[in-house]
Amino acid sequence: MLLIRRGARFPAWRRTRPFWAGALLVLAGAEIAAVPLAPLSVLVGLGLGGIAALGIGAALVAAGLFLWFLPHTRHYVGIHAVILSVLSFAVTNLGGFLAGMLLGIAGGAMGFAWTPERPLEEPPEQPPQEPSRLPQPPAPPGHPPQKTLAAALPFVLLAATALPAPGPPPRAPGPVTTPRTPPTVTTTRFAPEGFTLARVAEVPTAGGPRRAMVLTMRAASLRDYRLRTRDGGGAELSLSADELRLGGRVTLYLTRLTGCVQGVLCLTFTPDRLPVPPVAPPFVFMTDVTAEQALVTSGTIGADGLALSPGRSPAPPPPAPPPP
């Protein structure tokens, strides 16, 4: 009899709080935090992604416990759990490979929309209505406002994070022909804004079509920018700037890209070796970058300390031998 009473307490306790929402948040936090678990040296090598995964995972587990033991905080906890889940896609390992992010969004939305059950009681006797007072119209069918807001909140946050800022549409290269040898670009820090998408396309050059990586982003900034032409048919030029800012749907056409991701992991990308996955989340930057830039398009260009100087000129032809 005592075991039956104890077994009946748990269902009664569970019905008085958003139990399943808290369970989803605990699972989401555990999944996000468990993926990057590794020896300390490897975790430090992962940089921001590994450390942020542990922090966001612990925060989601704490949010689930709050929903279990402090259900009156469900609105505050639910909104912040959804924000952390969406943020985990950008600053961790794609939100625990999407599984942890989706579990966190579902748990936060369910926690925000949960309402306590009201005990069934007989309604008290109502005094007779006055003839001049009209009855209130019934509420329209559908979900309550809180549930509608909770269902729409994850999609609004995802749209605000993923969609780029409005700007002039990107212009296709069209009939532009790039040099036979792409110019060399160096920068100490390359920081895109928003999500960066990578693909492969053919670019027309003076020597015929050539495959290039196409990086598309909302905007970008390049510190200590240096560009040097390498065509052998004329004088070489060197363009430098303390900082170069590109905005309005930036598209870079590169035949080679070498740099250190987050200043830690140094990699080389080519059209035959794209990043995996070909999507870079925000807050990812590269240092000590060297690239072969075939073409760049953007809506706006701003520069600090812009300078143009002649580079190495081709050697003059040898003088003709004197006539005999």
Side-chain angles (χ1 to χ4, degrees):
M1 189 66 178
L2 181 59
L3 294 177
I4 296 177
R5 289 182 179 179
R6 289 183 177 178
R9 290 179 182 177
F10 178 74
W13 177 84
R14 186 188 63 190
R15 285 193 294 268
T16 59
R17 61 205 69 240
F19 176 79
W20 295 115
L24 290 180
L25 290 181
V26 171
L27 288 176
E31 201 274 341
I32 292 176
V35 171
L37 285 182
L40 183 59
S41 59
V42 178
L43 183 62
V44 173
L46 291 176
L48 180 63
I51 299 175
L54 296 179
I56 293 180
L60 289 178
V61 171
L65 297 178
F66 266 86
L67 293 182
W68 282 352
F69 299 104
L70 297 173
H72 61 277
T73 62
R74 61 188 181 278
H75 294 154
Y76 176 84
V77 173
I79 291 176
H80 285 75
V82 171
I83 294 175
L84 286 175
S85 300
V86 175
L87 188 62
S88 68
F89 181 84
V91 300
T92 67
N93 46 11
L94 300 180
F97 300 110
L98 296 180
M101 182 189 71
L102 296 178
L103 288 173
I105 291 175
M110 291 172 58
F112 183 88
W114 181 83
T115 53
E117 295 183 357
R118 297 180 179 178
L120 298 178
E121 298 179 355
E122 296 183 1
E125 297 182 0
Q126 299 289 340
Q129 295 184 352
E130 299 179 1
S132 60
R133 183 175 299 176
L134 296 178
Q136 295 293 333
H143 296 285
Q146 290 183 351
K147 294 185 178 181
T148 304
L149 177 61
L153 181 60
F155 300 100
V156 174
L157 291 173
L158 284 173
T161 305
L163 291 180
R171 297 182 180 180
V176 176
T177 301
T178 61
R180 183 187 305 269
T181 304
T184 301
V185 173
T186 60
T187 177
T188 58
R189 180 184 172 93
F190 170 56
E193 296 182 9
F195 285 89
T196 302
L197 306 178
R199 59 185 178 88
V200 177
E202 286 192 352
V203 178
T205 68
R210 185 172 181 178
R211 299 176 74 242
M213 295 181 297
V214 183
L215 304 182
T216 306
M217 63 207 71
R218 183 176 60 189
S221 64
L222 298 91
R223 187 182 303 168
D224 297 329
Y225 177 81
R226 301 290 184 271
L227 181 144
R228 183 181 294 274
T229 61
R230 296 191 298 159
D231 267 1
E236 296 185 359
L237 295 177
S238 176
L239 180 69
S240 61
D242 295 338
E243 184 176 5
L244 187 70
R245 298 178 299 276
L246 306 176
R249 301 289 187 88
V250 180
T251 305
L252 303 178
Y253 297 82
L254 309 175
T255 58
R256 186 181 180 87
L257 175 64
T258 301
C260 300
V261 180
Q262 304 297 114
V264 176
L265 185 61
C266 297
L267 300 171
T268 298
F269 302 108
T270 64
D272 298 326
R273 187 184 176 187
L274 287 178
V276 179
V279 179
F283 313 113
V284 173
F285 62 90
M286 298 183 70
T287 60
D288 301 327
V289 176
T290 301
E292 296 177 357
Q293 176 180 292
L295 185 66
V296 57
T297 62
S298 64
T300 59
I301 298 179
D304 296 334
L306 186 64
L308 180 65
S309 60
R312 179 171 52 85
S313 300

